[in-house]
Amino acid sequence: MLSKPRTKPLVLKKEEALLLRLLRNHPKYHEIERDYSKRKAGYKGELNIDYYLTLLPKENYFILHDLRLPHGDHFFQIDTLLICTRFALLLEIKNYSGTIFFDQFTNQLIRTLNQKIEAFPCPLYQVKRQKLQLKQWLAGFGILNLPIEHLVVMSNSSSILQTNEGNEHIFKGIIHGWKLIPEIERIDQLRKPFKIAPQALEKVAESLLNAHTPENPDILKLFEIPAADIKIGVACPGCKSLPMKRIRGSWYCEICRLRSRDAHMKAINDYFLLFQTGLTNRELREYLHITSSHVASDILSQMNIPFTGKRRDRVYYSLGTY
């Protein structure tokens, strides 16, 4: 059945490029590094849960990962959505270590790790809000009564889950990843088939995919970083230092002496991730520290980067795949 695989978030790729090309003593470096670490941990946790979902019979479920859907003037994001003829299931995935306390009075998730206490919004409220938004979204397609279930899935199996005395019932909706498949099977047994043709359900899944809008912020604007602060040049694939030198058709690192024929590909990819603008031959030469316009043209041609204009007026644009 139709599915949407999980891919590395675009924001994560942009932050990786940004950290590579900022000086470590830059005033925003550690702020970006902290945000990157959180996003990377979240992505890793989602991948861990994806493994369990591969155990489900593919012919029974539409499995859509990492959906970002329009809702009025805003968007809402779903970590994973399962749809079948019996129900839809929203999964909100969290990757937290340590002791996790769900406080019923403050509606917060409180984590204790290495004697440090941090508070986060309760993911149960988050997934319930997503449930309401998805219900409204489906109503636009005439799907009014499809049961929508929700679960908060903790991907770190060693985390300890706690709550206030008498509030233990919340753990019906908060589970560790290893319990996910039995829980889906339990829900499946409880629900009767919904009166919708499989073809109509597939159209709903296709509509969800078509409406998906990846988050694509201007990363320099987001962190208020001037373009002049970005280190240019080709980064060494080995030691990450830059710039490499172009010598006889390949790139040479003066630090670790590594040679590469295609290290420029990541550098150009970084350019589009960070600047989100078109690229001219002259700008490429400045960015890669090369002098020959012919070499620059060959590089752009070999990468099959789309362009507009003719000859000197050409402007190259990202393929959008990053």
Side-chain angles (χ1 to χ4, degrees), residues 25 56 116 125 130 163 262 265 322:
N25 62 357
L56 291 172
K116 181 180 179 181
Y125 284 83
Q130 293 168 357
T163 189
D262 60 3
M265 295 178 68
Y322 300 102

Side-chain angles (χ1 to χ4, degrees), residues 296-321:
S297 293
D298 287 343
I299 286 174
L300 292 165
S301 176
Q302 290 168 10
M303 290 182 66
N304 292 319
I305 298 176
F307 61 86
T308 58
K310 297 181 179 180
R311 297 185 179 181
R312 292 186 179 182
D313 295 327
R314 282 185 179 178
V315 179
Y316 295 82
Y317 299 93
S318 166
L319 289 168
T321 54

Side-chain angles (χ1 to χ4, degrees), residues 12-206:
L12 203 58
K13 294 179 181 180
K14 291 188 174 203
E15 289 185 341
E16 286 176 351
L18 188 53
L19 289 170
L20 175 67
R21 294 181 177 275
L22 276 183
L23 293 172
R24 292 189 66 87
N25 62 357
H26 191 281
K28 291 296 182 76
Y29 187 91
H30 292 298
E31 176 188 347
I32 300 164
E33 190 175 44
R34 285 192 298 271
D35 190 71
Y36 172 74
S37 296
K38 290 179 182 178
R39 290 181 185 272
K40 186 178 180 181
Y43 177 57
K44 181 181 178 181
E46 291 165 357
L47 291 176
N48 289 341
I49 298 305
D50 292 350
Y51 160 73
Y52 295 106
L53 295 175
T54 63
L55 304 177
L56 291 172
K58 294 181 180 179
E59 65 274 12
N60 292 352
Y61 299 93
F62 296 101
I63 302 179
L64 309 177
H65 296 296
D66 194 25
L67 281 175
R68 185 171 178 265
L69 303 172
H71 186 260
D73 296 331
H74 304 281
F75 292 87
F76 68 102
Q77 190 147 337
I78 299 171
D79 288 342
T80 296
L81 175 64
L82 278 72
I83 306 177
C84 66
T85 56
R86 295 175 183 270
F87 59 90
L89 174 61
L90 285 163
L91 301 182
E92 176 62 26
I93 302 167
K94 297 297 182 185
N95 186 12
Y96 291 129
S97 303
T99 299
I100 312 300
F101 187 85
F102 295 88
D103 194 313
Q104 72 176 120
F105 300 110
T106 63
N107 295 321
Q108 289 178 305
L109 179 158
I110 301 171
R111 177 178 68 178
T112 303
L113 179 65
N114 298 327
Q115 298 182 330
K116 181 180 179 181
I117 299 175
E118 293 180 278
F120 304 90
C122 179
L124 267 178
Y125 284 83
Q126 183 178 352
V127 74
K128 287 178 181 178
R129 182 173 63 251
Q130 293 168 357
K131 178 178 177 178
L132 176 62
Q133 292 168 319
L134 179 62
K135 185 176 182 179
Q136 294 170 348
W137 200 95
L138 291 174
F141 290 87
I143 309 297
L144 301 176
N145 299 313
L146 177 65
I148 301 177
E149 304 284 348
H150 62 272
L151 287 171
V152 173
V153 186
M154 310 301 289
S155 65
N156 190 322
S157 60
S158 63
S159 60
I160 300 171
L161 308 183
Q162 298 178 344
T163 189
N164 310 85
E165 185 176 352
N167 194 44
E168 293 83 1
H169 62 88
I170 66 167
F171 293 125
K172 292 180 180 179
I174 304 172
I175 62 173
H176 279 112
W178 55 269
K179 291 180 66 177
L180 180 57
I181 298 303
E183 186 63 21
I184 293 174
E185 291 173 343
R186 185 190 69 81
I187 295 171
D188 190 66
Q189 291 172 2
L190 289 175
R191 292 296 184 181
K192 295 179 180 179
F194 183 65
K195 293 181 180 180
I196 182 172
Q199 296 85 351
L201 203 60
E202 184 170 2
K203 286 185 178 180
V204 172
E206 289 177 351

Side-chain angles (χ1 to χ4, degrees), residues 234-237 244 251 258 260-268:
V234 174
C236 174
M244 298 181 82
W251 300 96
L258 182 142
S260 170
R261 297 191 66 85
D262 60 3
H264 58 272
M265 295 178 68
K266 185 180 185 312
I268 294 173

